[in-house]
Amino acid sequence: MTELLHLTEPALWAAALHDGAYTWSTRGRTLREEGFIHLSHPHQLPAVTRMLYGSEEIELIVLVIDPARLTAPVRHEAMTEGGEEFPHLYGPLPVDAVVEVRQWAARGHASE
């Protein structure tokens, strides 16, 4: 299984656990605003972190998602023509599709 990942803040994940689904697309934008939830493959996560958070010191977690548990489609799409494709989830992320939550270390590696 290829891991699908989503980088987020602990408080947003805690709210999702209460609500039963995660509905944040990316930093500061909801699924409703964006139309999909931004996901990553493991090799893409360091660049995504730099792009969204820069050198900002903030606690982050990585949601590890089992694609077989998703109820909405995932499409791989490039931000620019011919660019690298990223996975996008076109619907809410059910909390039971998250099989692991990892701390994201500032040095750019998820801890196990």
Side-chain angles (χ1 to χ4, degrees), residues 32-51:
R32 184 176 178 158
E33 292 168 323
E34 193 75 7
F36 56 85
I37 295 174
H38 289 270
L39 304 178
S40 301
H41 293 292
H43 73 277
Q44 297 170 322
L45 204 55
V48 169
T49 304
R50 284 189 301 275
M51 182 178 70

Side-chain angles (χ1 to χ4, degrees), residues 7-104:
L7 186 68
T8 191
E9 298 170 37
L12 298 177
W13 176 239
L17 290 171
H18 179 266
D19 297 340
Y22 180 87
T23 57
W24 284 90
S25 175
T26 189
R27 186 177 190 189
R29 293 192 50 88
T30 65
L31 167 61
R32 184 176 178 158
E33 292 168 323
E34 193 75 7
F36 56 85
I37 295 174
H38 289 270
L39 304 178
S40 301
H41 293 292
H43 73 277
Q44 297 170 322
L45 204 55
V48 169
T49 304
R50 284 189 301 275
M51 182 178 70
L52 293 175
Y53 295 94
S55 61
E56 188 175 343
E57 293 291 327
I58 185 169
E59 183 182 0
L60 298 171
I61 57 174
V62 178
L63 306 180
V64 181
I65 301 159
D66 180 351
R69 296 184 185 188
L70 295 173
T71 56
V74 173
R75 297 184 189 119
H76 285 76
E77 301 166 310
M79 296 171 61
T80 60
E81 189 173 331
E84 183 176 12
E85 292 186 348
F86 288 83
H88 296 148
L89 175 61
Y90 279 84
L93 172 59
V95 296
D96 65 354
V98 176
V99 296
E100 185 181 351
V101 176
R102 300 176 184 162
Q103 293 297 314
W104 183 252

